[in-house]
Amino acid sequence: MSSINTLYVSVSTKSLDREASTNEQLEVRGTEEELETLRQMLEQLQRDDEVTQFRAPIPYKSADHDKATDQFNDDMLKLYQFIYILGTDKTKAHIHDMNILNKLQNTDYEHPGYER
């Protein structure tokens, strides 16, 4: 049986630490395998972020309906869902209060101006 470990996640810096810091961090508890999955998800989000930043300065290219942006959003959603699953009650309450999972799942593409 795997032991449960506590780590602290910072989504903005895409880091996973053994000790809490003064930065915004979310406390999670999981097995080594679960925490390794979380680490890999953070690394994927970092790669997604790097891809989207290369296309950001192109003034005529909108980020709407962009494959790189869609991938980033999908991976961000999966990351927050996984953090929620592994999160402490405080972490779950924080994610719930952020309402980020609903926002990431429900874009405003139904509004005028977002034709496919």
Side-chain angles (χ1 to χ4, degrees):
M1 180 192 252
S2 296
S3 63
I4 301 296
N5 299 298
T6 299
L7 292 178
Y8 301 88
V9 181
S10 171
V11 175
S12 63
T13 63
K14 297 162 190 73
S15 65
L16 195 55
D17 301 306
R18 295 215 176 269
E19 295 183 22
S21 71
T22 57
N23 297 337
E24 44 68 48
Q25 290 185 313
L26 303 169
E27 185 176 358
V28 294
R29 294 191 176 119
T31 64
E32 285 297 324
E33 294 81 15
E34 290 169 326
L35 297 174
E36 179 57 30
T37 298
L38 181 57
R39 190 173 285 109
Q40 291 171 3
M41 292 174 87
L42 288 165
E43 290 170 359
Q44 180 60 48
L45 194 64
Q46 178 63 39
R47 289 189 295 274
D48 292 347
D49 199 20
E50 290 166 1
V51 170
T52 58
Q53 79 179 3
F54 288 122
R55 56 144 311 281
I58 303 171
Y60 55 85
K61 183 162 172 64
S62 172
D64 294 329
H65 308 292
D66 179 74
K67 288 182 183 180
T69 301
D70 290 344
Q71 184 65 49
F72 179 86
N73 290 344
D74 288 346
D75 288 342
M76 180 71 78
L77 177 62
K78 290 174 189 171
L79 176 65
Y80 270 105
Q81 288 171 332
F82 199 62
I83 291 171
Y84 187 87
I85 290 167
L86 298 182
T88 61
D89 289 342
K90 183 178 177 181
T91 295
K92 289 179 181 182
H94 178 73
I95 291 173
H96 182 268
D97 290 346
M98 289 171 61
N99 196 29
I100 192 162
L101 296 178
N102 288 334
K103 286 180 184 176
L104 286 172
Q105 288 177 323
N106 299 311
T107 64
D108 60 357
Y109 289 162
E110 307 310 316
H111 292 243
Y114 284 101
E115 294 82 19
R116 289 200 177 243

